[in-house]
Amino acid sequence: QQQVKQSPQSLIVQKGGISIINCAYENTAFDYFPWYQQFPGKGPALLIAIRPDVSEKKEGRFTISFNKSAKQFSLHIMDSQPGDSATYFCAAGGGGNKLTFGTGTQLKVEL
Amino acid sequence: NAGVMQNPRHLVRRRGQEARLRCSPMKGHSHVYWYRQLPEEGLKFMVYLQKENIIDESGMPKERFSAEFPKEGPSILRIQQVVRGDSAAYFCASSPLRQASTDTQYFGPGTRLTVL
């Protein structure tokens, strides 16, 4: 099963709050889990990525938490800002180099 | 250092015409991937190429679609006899010479194809 399930579909967070987006996968051959940020009319931009040898990775306000046994991973955006309003995609890759993407989460950060 | 470049950014075609989408990878990158994004959906893998070789085309429709990455010049995604269902954003990504099981992919700005 190549599917990556992402939730929620949309998310509204107050400025300064924590945004949390979750993804789950089935294929145990996946060994690379990136998150991409996409603004309207633009291409996806790599935000942060993790491999399954660690359970957490932090870069600035962005943290990936990874649970290998549950086959789940999540993106946490701390101190969310209006400029973070965008669509976020999780993805998974392994072996053949192609990425399997989730369906996306539209994040809106309100003042 | 230029990123992944795609052109045209917007392309309008009538049903039955051909669409050619071009992608120049980042400098030093020898792997190119094409993805399609339908409105309100995630990206779907189409094809993975290296110079002069198609490595994985498992996501390409069997008919009308083809891709190439010649020794010189950009990668081309070609759609023959376009239909309205081909309307989508087409993204190209590139990665450097393979170092790990999956390399980081950097995406271009996309080509938005509209079929009238």
Side-chain angles (χ1 to χ4, degrees), chain A residues 39-78:
Chain A
F39 293 102
K42 305 293 185 183
L46 180 67
L47 201 58
I48 187 172
I50 197 169
R51 297 188 189 272
D53 52 343
V54 296
S55 60
E56 186 175 282
K57 183 175 182 180
K58 183 176 181 179
E59 290 184 1
R61 296 186 294 111
F62 302 94
T63 299
I64 298 179
S65 296
F66 183 78
N67 186 330
K68 188 174 181 178
S69 61
K71 291 185 284 187
Q72 296 175 348
F73 57 110
S74 60
L75 176 69
H76 294 225
I77 306 175
M78 311 300 286

Side-chain angles (χ1 to χ4, degrees), chain A residues 31 36 51 95 97-99, chain B residues 33 35 58 98 101-102 105:
Chain A
D31 62 358
Y36 285 85
R51 297 188 189 272
N97 264 39
K98 64 184 178 185
L99 293 175
Chain B
Y33 316 80
Y35 293 83
S58 58
R98 190 167 178 165
S101 59
T102 304
Q105 295 182 21

Side-chain angles (χ1 to χ4, degrees), chain B:
Chain B
N1 184 17
V4 178
M5 299 180 70
Q6 289 187 250
N7 65 82
R9 295 291 308 276
H10 300 272
L11 182 61
V12 179
R13 286 288 179 265
R14 295 190 181 279
R15 281 179 298 168
Q17 291 184 321
E18 178 179 287
R20 284 191 177 225
L21 288 62
R22 289 176 290 277
C23 168
S24 296
M26 288 179 69
K27 187 177 180 180
H29 286 194
S30 57
H31 300 237
V32 165
Y33 316 80
W34 286 92
Y35 293 83
R36 177 165 61 178
Q37 184 177 34
L38 295 171
E40 309 300 324
E41 293 189 11
L43 286 81
K44 303 290 186 185
F45 168 81
M46 299 182 74
V47 62
Y48 162 38
L49 310 102
Q50 294 178 25
K51 286 284 188 180
E52 300 184 283
N53 283 302
I54 296 175
I55 307 302
D56 181 352
E57 56 181 348
S58 58
M60 288 278 272
K62 300 300 181 190
E63 298 178 347
R64 301 187 298 109
F65 284 73
S66 62
E68 63 176 6
F69 189 15
K71 185 176 181 180
E72 301 291 337
S75 175
I76 306 288
L77 178 67
R78 181 185 179 198
I79 310 172
Q80 296 178 289
Q81 300 175 342
V82 296
V83 300
R84 289 209 174 115
D86 297 333
S87 295
Y90 291 82
F91 291 97
C92 168
S94 73
S95 67
L97 187 64
R98 190 167 178 165
Q99 298 292 338
S101 59
T102 304
D103 285 319
T104 298
Q105 295 182 21
Y106 299 90
F107 282 79
T111 293
R112 280 146 185 87
L113 172 65
T114 302
V115 179
L116 301 178

